[in-house]
Amino acid sequence: MIKAGVIGHPIAHSKSPLIHGYWLKKFGIDGEYMAYDVPPDNLVAGVNRLVQAGLRGFNVTLPHKQTIMDLCSDISEDAQKIGAVNTVVIDDHGQLHGRNTDAFGFIQNLDETIPDFDWSNRETVVIGAGGAARAVLYALSIKGVQDITLTNRTQESANFLASGYGAKVTAWDQRQKAIQGSDLIINTTSLGMKGQPPLEIDLSGITDQAVVYDIVYAPLYTPLLCAARDQGAQFVTGIGMLLHQARPAFAAWFSQYPEVTPELEKLVL
Ligand code: ATR
């Protein structure tokens, strides 16, 4: 039996067992994917147990996405650039290989939602400067998007992140100005998530070709996306990023390349 899983703390909320379990069943693979609660002070022992148990690898979620890097024998370029590992492959010698599939998930989700989407010459605004924003900026750099403005409540984080990508920074209280004339707006903050305040921004200044992308997926239609829809703009929901980022990991462990289907999306939502 091929085994994989996800580590985090807390871990009960993770959707990953549902996603990988769906694909295992679909391919008829003799495999398992389990959630492992690993507290921060127990990371080394927790990971060693998984290696001993013969896992092919595991996903990594909060709070281990950075600290796991110290335990990896090598780290892929995407994970280095993003500064976090979300996927680990364990080789036959028990060595850990760290990767990050979040940028892939971000790109695939947009490309599948809007198949004729043209990434070039986009005037882009990224809202937020946390872990998700790091993956988004790396994804935008891969796609050659050059005109990027970053805005974040804590400006130092925006300055730091922007400097690595030649992006501009607009102060948080000026974010309304930043989106005037922009045609790709991406929310990477937790604002708009169930239980969180909405992201307060007026989309009336965006262009006709604008695409509004929210990485929040609970609710699926955030207040930001509802505003985009009401205005007739194209929009991208966040669930696809979660589902697509899981595909390369599944392929690395179980040797089958899975697809995101409407049935899977429904299951996870
Ligand atoms: P993630 O890894 O999901 O990106 P994170 O690293 O904690 O999570 O980042 C959360 C993002 O949401 C940050 O940009 C954060 O802004 P700060 O850097 O100022 O903390 C943003 N965020 C969270 N709550 C917010 C709020 N109430 N108002 C504005 N921004 C908020």
Side-chain angles (χ1 to χ4, degrees), residues 114 122 179-185 203-212 228 231-235:
I114 306 174
R122 288 277 165 184
I179 67 156
Q180 292 298 317
S182 65
D183 49 17
L184 179 58
I185 296 106
L203 293 176
S204 56
I206 61 177
T207 71
D208 290 349
Q209 291 77 41
V211 169
V212 181
Q231 212 169 291
Q234 288 182 289
F235 61 91

Side-chain angles (χ1 to χ4, degrees), residues 127-129 151-158 170-173 189-191:
I127 302 160
T151 183
N152 190 51
R153 176 180 60 179
T154 309
Q155 187 149 347
E156 300 90 81
S157 319
T170 294
W172 184 241
D173 59 4
T189 72
S190 47
L191 294 170

Side-chain angles (χ1 to χ4, degrees), residues 175-177 179-180 185 199-206 224 227 231:
R175 61 192 184 281
Q176 192 59 52
K177 264 194 208 146
I179 67 156
Q180 292 298 317
I185 296 106
L199 169 65
E200 280 171 19
I201 203 150
D202 174 4
L203 293 176
S204 56
I206 61 177
L224 176 71
Q231 212 169 291

Side-chain angles (χ1 to χ4, degrees), residues 15 187 189-199 214-223 269:
K15 304 274 193 198
N187 175 44
T189 72
S190 47
L191 294 170
M193 196 184 282
K194 200 171 153 208
Q196 297 283 326
L199 169 65
D214 201 333
I215 69 158
V216 170
Y217 61 86
L220 185 60
Y221 300 106
T222 59
L269 286 172

Side-chain angles (χ1 to χ4, degrees), residues 12 120 256 259:
S120 58
Q256 296 277 0
E259 294 298 329

